[in-house]
PDB file of all heavy atoms in Angstrom:
ATOM      1  N   TYR A 188     -11.495  18.755  -2.078  1.00 91.00           N
ATOM      2  CA  TYR A 188     -12.055  20.055  -1.658  1.00 91.00           C
ATOM      3  C   TYR A 188     -13.575  20.002  -1.553  1.00 91.00           C
ATOM      4  O   TYR A 188     -14.213  20.880  -0.924  1.00 91.00           O
ATOM      5  CB  TYR A 188     -11.639  21.162  -2.629  1.00 91.00           C
ATOM      6  CG  TYR A 188     -12.194  21.026  -4.026  1.00 91.00           C
ATOM      7  CD1 TYR A 188     -13.529  21.559  -4.295  1.00 91.00           C
ATOM      8  CD2 TYR A 188     -11.540  20.435  -5.076  1.00 91.00           C
ATOM      9  CE1 TYR A 188     -14.074  21.448  -5.599  1.00 91.00           C
ATOM     10  CE2 TYR A 188     -12.068  20.367  -6.359  1.00 91.00           C
ATOM     11  CZ  TYR A 188     -13.381  20.865  -6.593  1.00 91.00           C
ATOM     12  OH  TYR A 188     -13.841  20.701  -7.838  1.00 91.00           O
ATOM     13  N   ARG A 189     -14.179  18.952  -2.065  1.00 93.00           N
ATOM     14  CA  ARG A 189     -15.657  18.819  -1.984  1.00 93.00           C
ATOM     15  C   ARG A 189     -16.010  17.958  -0.745  1.00 93.00           C
ATOM     16  O   ARG A 189     -17.221  17.817  -0.459  1.00 93.00           O
ATOM     17  CB  ARG A 189     -16.213  18.183  -3.228  1.00 93.00           C
ATOM     18  CG  ARG A 189     -16.110  19.123  -4.432  1.00 93.00           C
ATOM     19  CD  ARG A 189     -16.772  18.555  -5.695  1.00 93.00           C
ATOM     20  NE  ARG A 189     -18.240  18.189  -5.385  1.00 93.00           N
ATOM     21  CZ  ARG A 189     -18.980  17.433  -6.210  1.00 93.00           C
ATOM     22  NH1 ARG A 189     -18.448  17.007  -7.324  1.00 93.00           N
ATOM     23  NH2 ARG A 189     -20.241  17.187  -5.925  1.00 93.00           N
ATOM     24  N   ALA A 190     -15.037  17.315  -0.140  1.00 91.00           N
ATOM     25  CA  ALA A 190     -15.377  16.359   0.963  1.00 91.00           C
ATOM     26  C   ALA A 190     -14.706  16.695   2.240  1.00 91.00           C
ATOM     27  O   ALA A 190     -15.210  16.176   3.297  1.00 91.00           O
ATOM     28  CB  ALA A 190     -15.014  14.931   0.507  1.00 91.00           C
ATOM     29  N   LEU A 191     -13.559  17.466   2.252  1.00 92.00           N
ATOM     30  CA  LEU A 191     -12.862  17.713   3.497  1.00 92.00           C
ATOM     31  C   LEU A 191     -12.955  19.203   3.885  1.00 92.00           C
ATOM     32  O   LEU A 191     -12.614  20.042   3.073  1.00 92.00           O
ATOM     33  CB  LEU A 191     -11.398  17.305   3.363  1.00 92.00           C
ATOM     34  CG  LEU A 191     -11.048  15.853   3.036  1.00 92.00           C
ATOM     35  CD1 LEU A 191      -9.598  15.660   2.805  1.00 92.00           C
ATOM     36  CD2 LEU A 191     -11.514  14.979   4.247  1.00 92.00           C
ATOM     37  N   SER A 192     -13.494  19.485   5.069  1.00 91.00           N
ATOM     38  CA  SER A 192     -13.566  20.849   5.484  1.00 91.00           C
ATOM     39  C   SER A 192     -12.178  21.464   5.764  1.00 91.00           C
ATOM     40  O   SER A 192     -11.993  22.647   5.594  1.00 91.00           O
ATOM     41  CB  SER A 192     -14.448  20.923   6.706  1.00 91.00           C
ATOM     42  OG  SER A 192     -13.943  20.169   7.779  1.00 91.00           O
ATOM     43  N   VAL A 193     -11.308  20.564   6.197  1.00 89.00           N
ATOM     44  CA  VAL A 193      -9.856  20.965   6.354  1.00 89.00           C
ATOM     45  C   VAL A 193      -9.046  20.101   5.487  1.00 89.00           C
ATOM     46  O   VAL A 193      -9.072  18.886   5.559  1.00 89.00           O
ATOM     47  CB  VAL A 193      -9.471  20.784   7.863  1.00 89.00           C
ATOM     48  CG1 VAL A 193      -7.964  21.110   8.006  1.00 89.00           C
ATOM     49  CG2 VAL A 193     -10.326  21.634   8.756  1.00 89.00           C
ATOM     50  N   LYS A 194      -8.259  20.697   4.592  1.00 87.00           N
ATOM     51  CA  LYS A 194      -7.568  19.933   3.548  1.00 87.00           C
ATOM     52  C   LYS A 194      -6.625  18.950   4.099  1.00 87.00           C
ATOM     53  O   LYS A 194      -6.412  17.857   3.634  1.00 87.00           O
ATOM     54  CB  LYS A 194      -6.840  20.912   2.588  1.00 87.00           C
ATOM     55  CG  LYS A 194      -6.171  20.225   1.429  1.00 87.00           C
ATOM     56  CD  LYS A 194      -5.644  21.274   0.469  1.00 87.00           C
ATOM     57  CE  LYS A 194      -4.990  20.616  -0.737  1.00 87.00           C
ATOM     58  NZ  LYS A 194      -4.381  21.567  -1.626  1.00 87.00           N
ATOM     59  N   ASP A 195      -5.846  19.293   5.200  1.00 95.00           N
ATOM     60  CA  ASP A 195      -4.831  18.430   5.807  1.00 95.00           C
ATOM     61  C   ASP A 195      -5.415  17.550   6.811  1.00 95.00           C
ATOM     62  O   ASP A 195      -5.819  17.968   7.899  1.00 95.00           O
ATOM     63  CB  ASP A 195      -3.689  19.349   6.340  1.00 95.00           C
ATOM     64  CG  ASP A 195      -2.501  18.548   6.926  1.00 95.00           C
ATOM     65  OD1 ASP A 195      -2.664  17.288   6.892  1.00 95.00           O
ATOM     66  OD2 ASP A 195      -1.583  19.117   7.298  1.00 95.00           O
ATOM     67  N   VAL A 196      -5.546  16.286   6.549  1.00 97.00           N
ATOM     68  CA  VAL A 196      -6.140  15.296   7.385  1.00 97.00           C
ATOM     69  C   VAL A 196      -5.379  15.233   8.675  1.00 97.00           C
ATOM     70  O   VAL A 196      -5.981  15.004   9.793  1.00 97.00           O
ATOM     71  CB  VAL A 196      -6.314  13.936   6.755  1.00 97.00           C
ATOM     72  CG1 VAL A 196      -6.684  12.826   7.785  1.00 97.00           C
ATOM     73  CG2 VAL A 196      -7.303  13.951   5.553  1.00 97.00           C
ATOM     74  N   SER A 197      -4.041  15.424   8.670  1.00 98.00           N
ATOM     75  CA  SER A 197      -3.296  15.200   9.875  1.00 98.00           C
ATOM     76  C   SER A 197      -3.522  16.180  11.007  1.00 98.00           C
ATOM     77  O   SER A 197      -3.280  15.918  12.178  1.00 98.00           O
ATOM     78  CB  SER A 197      -1.687  15.273   9.481  1.00 98.00           C
ATOM     79  OG  SER A 197      -1.329  16.611   9.277  1.00 98.00           O
ATOM     80  N   VAL A 198      -4.121  17.334  10.625  1.00 97.00           N
ATOM     81  CA  VAL A 198      -4.395  18.378  11.771  1.00 97.00           C
ATOM     82  C   VAL A 198      -5.538  17.797  12.690  1.00 97.00           C
ATOM     83  O   VAL A 198      -5.644  18.308  13.846  1.00 97.00           O
ATOM     84  CB  VAL A 198      -4.862  19.690  11.168  1.00 97.00           C
ATOM     85  CG1 VAL A 198      -3.717  20.305  10.303  1.00 97.00           C
ATOM     86  CG2 VAL A 198      -6.152  19.646  10.411  1.00 97.00           C
ATOM     87  N   ARG A 199      -6.235  16.778  12.229  1.00 97.00           N
ATOM     88  CA  ARG A 199      -7.284  16.233  13.106  1.00 97.00           C
ATOM     89  C   ARG A 199      -6.649  15.522  14.318  1.00 97.00           C
ATOM     90  O   ARG A 199      -7.328  15.238  15.240  1.00 97.00           O
ATOM     91  CB  ARG A 199      -8.124  15.237  12.308  1.00 97.00           C
ATOM     92  CG  ARG A 199      -8.874  15.861  11.199  1.00 97.00           C
ATOM     93  CD  ARG A 199      -9.811  14.928  10.458  1.00 97.00           C
ATOM     94  NE  ARG A 199     -10.432  15.535   9.343  1.00 97.00           N
ATOM     95  CZ  ARG A 199     -11.511  15.056   8.676  1.00 97.00           C
ATOM     96  NH1 ARG A 199     -11.992  13.965   9.028  1.00 97.00           N
ATOM     97  NH2 ARG A 199     -11.974  15.672   7.630  1.00 97.00           N
ATOM     98  N   ALA A 200      -5.356  15.321  14.242  1.00 98.00           N
ATOM     99  CA  ALA A 200      -4.702  14.653  15.444  1.00 98.00           C
ATOM    100  C   ALA A 200      -4.696  15.568  16.628  1.00 98.00           C
ATOM    101  O   ALA A 200      -4.764  15.065  17.791  1.00 98.00           O
ATOM    102  CB  ALA A 200      -3.223  14.440  15.053  1.00 98.00           C
ATOM    103  N   ALA A 201      -4.905  16.901  16.473  1.00 97.00           N
ATOM    104  CA  ALA A 201      -4.899  17.822  17.584  1.00 97.00           C
ATOM    105  C   ALA A 201      -6.174  17.630  18.455  1.00 97.00           C
ATOM    106  O   ALA A 201      -6.089  17.762  19.669  1.00 97.00           O
ATOM    107  CB  ALA A 201      -4.931  19.221  17.096  1.00 97.00           C
ATOM    108  N   ALA A 202      -7.250  17.151  17.783  1.00 96.00           N
ATOM    109  CA  ALA A 202      -8.469  16.917  18.565  1.00 96.00           C
ATOM    110  C   ALA A 202      -8.298  15.710  19.515  1.00 96.00           C
ATOM    111  O   ALA A 202      -9.058  15.603  20.497  1.00 96.00           O
ATOM    112  CB  ALA A 202      -9.686  16.675  17.587  1.00 96.00           C
ATOM    113  N   TYR A 203      -7.343  14.861  19.277  1.00 97.00           N
ATOM    114  CA  TYR A 203      -7.104  13.670  20.158  1.00 97.00           C
ATOM    115  C   TYR A 203      -5.791  13.761  20.842  1.00 97.00           C
ATOM    116  O   TYR A 203      -5.396  12.739  21.542  1.00 97.00           O
ATOM    117  CB  TYR A 203      -7.225  12.400  19.287  1.00 97.00           C
ATOM    118  CG  TYR A 203      -8.547  12.312  18.614  1.00 97.00           C
ATOM    119  CD1 TYR A 203      -8.822  12.771  17.349  1.00 97.00           C
ATOM    120  CD2 TYR A 203      -9.617  11.745  19.338  1.00 97.00           C
ATOM    121  CE1 TYR A 203     -10.074  12.693  16.743  1.00 97.00           C
ATOM    122  CE2 TYR A 203     -10.947  11.674  18.819  1.00 97.00           C
ATOM    123  CZ  TYR A 203     -11.076  12.139  17.446  1.00 97.00           C
ATOM    124  OH  TYR A 203     -12.356  12.080  16.882  1.00 97.00           O
ATOM    125  N   ASP A 204      -5.122  14.873  20.749  1.00 97.00           N
ATOM    126  CA  ASP A 204      -3.880  15.065  21.460  1.00 97.00           C
ATOM    127  C   ASP A 204      -2.800  14.014  21.156  1.00 97.00           C
ATOM    128  O   ASP A 204      -2.189  13.445  22.091  1.00 97.00           O
ATOM    129  CB  ASP A 204      -4.104  15.172  22.980  1.00 97.00           C
ATOM    130  CG  ASP A 204      -2.936  15.736  23.699  1.00 97.00           C
ATOM    131  OD1 ASP A 204      -2.168  16.525  23.124  1.00 97.00           O
ATOM    132  OD2 ASP A 204      -2.730  15.399  24.893  1.00 97.00           O
ATOM    133  N   ILE A 205      -2.673  13.765  19.883  1.00 98.00           N
ATOM    134  CA  ILE A 205      -1.693  12.804  19.447  1.00 98.00           C
ATOM    135  C   ILE A 205      -0.743  13.479  18.394  1.00 98.00           C
ATOM    136  O   ILE A 205      -1.035  14.493  17.853  1.00 98.00           O
ATOM    137  CB  ILE A 205      -2.299  11.501  18.807  1.00 98.00           C
ATOM    138  CG1 ILE A 205      -3.070  11.801  17.562  1.00 98.00           C
ATOM    139  CG2 ILE A 205      -3.139  10.763  19.899  1.00 98.00           C
ATOM    140  CD1 ILE A 205      -3.551  10.562  16.861  1.00 98.00           C
ATOM    141  N   ALA A 206       0.371  12.804  18.182  1.00 98.00           N
ATOM    142  CA  ALA A 206       1.371  13.352  17.281  1.00 98.00           C
ATOM    143  C   ALA A 206       0.876  13.308  15.815  1.00 98.00           C
ATOM    144  O   ALA A 206       0.022  12.547  15.384  1.00 98.00           O
ATOM    145  CB  ALA A 206       2.669  12.554  17.308  1.00 98.00           C
ATOM    146  N   ARG A 207       1.369  14.214  15.027  1.00 98.00           N
ATOM    147  CA  ARG A 207       0.964  14.270  13.553  1.00 98.00           C
ATOM    148  C   ARG A 207       2.113  14.565  12.715  1.00 98.00           C
ATOM    149  O   ARG A 207       3.181  15.057  13.141  1.00 98.00           O
ATOM    150  CB  ARG A 207      -0.133  15.397  13.349  1.00 98.00           C
ATOM    151  CG  ARG A 207       0.389  16.805  13.694  1.00 98.00           C
ATOM    152  CD  ARG A 207      -0.650  17.821  13.332  1.00 98.00           C
ATOM    153  NE  ARG A 207      -0.754  18.079  11.935  1.00 98.00           N
ATOM    154  CZ  ARG A 207      -0.191  19.149  11.318  1.00 98.00           C
ATOM    155  NH1 ARG A 207       0.476  20.024  11.974  1.00 98.00           N
ATOM    156  NH2 ARG A 207      -0.272  19.303  10.012  1.00 98.00           N
ATOM    157  N   ASP A 208       1.984  14.349  11.346  1.00 98.00           N
ATOM    158  CA  ASP A 208       3.037  14.626  10.399  1.00 98.00           C
ATOM    159  C   ASP A 208       2.327  14.764   9.055  1.00 98.00           C
ATOM    160  O   ASP A 208       1.298  14.130   8.817  1.00 98.00           O
ATOM    161  CB  ASP A 208       4.096  13.513  10.399  1.00 98.00           C
ATOM    162  CG  ASP A 208       5.321  13.922   9.696  1.00 98.00           C
ATOM    163  OD1 ASP A 208       5.504  15.128   9.268  1.00 98.00           O
ATOM    164  OD2 ASP A 208       6.289  13.140   9.513  1.00 98.00           O
TER     165      ASP A 208
END
Side-chain angles (χ1 to χ4, degrees):
Y188 68 85
R189 292 183 58 190
L191 297 175
S192 59
V193 178
K194 186 176 180 181
D195 183 353
V196 169
S197 73
V198 302
R199 299 185 182 191
Y203 299 94
D204 193 27
I205 63 175
R207 62 175 285 259
D208 196 4

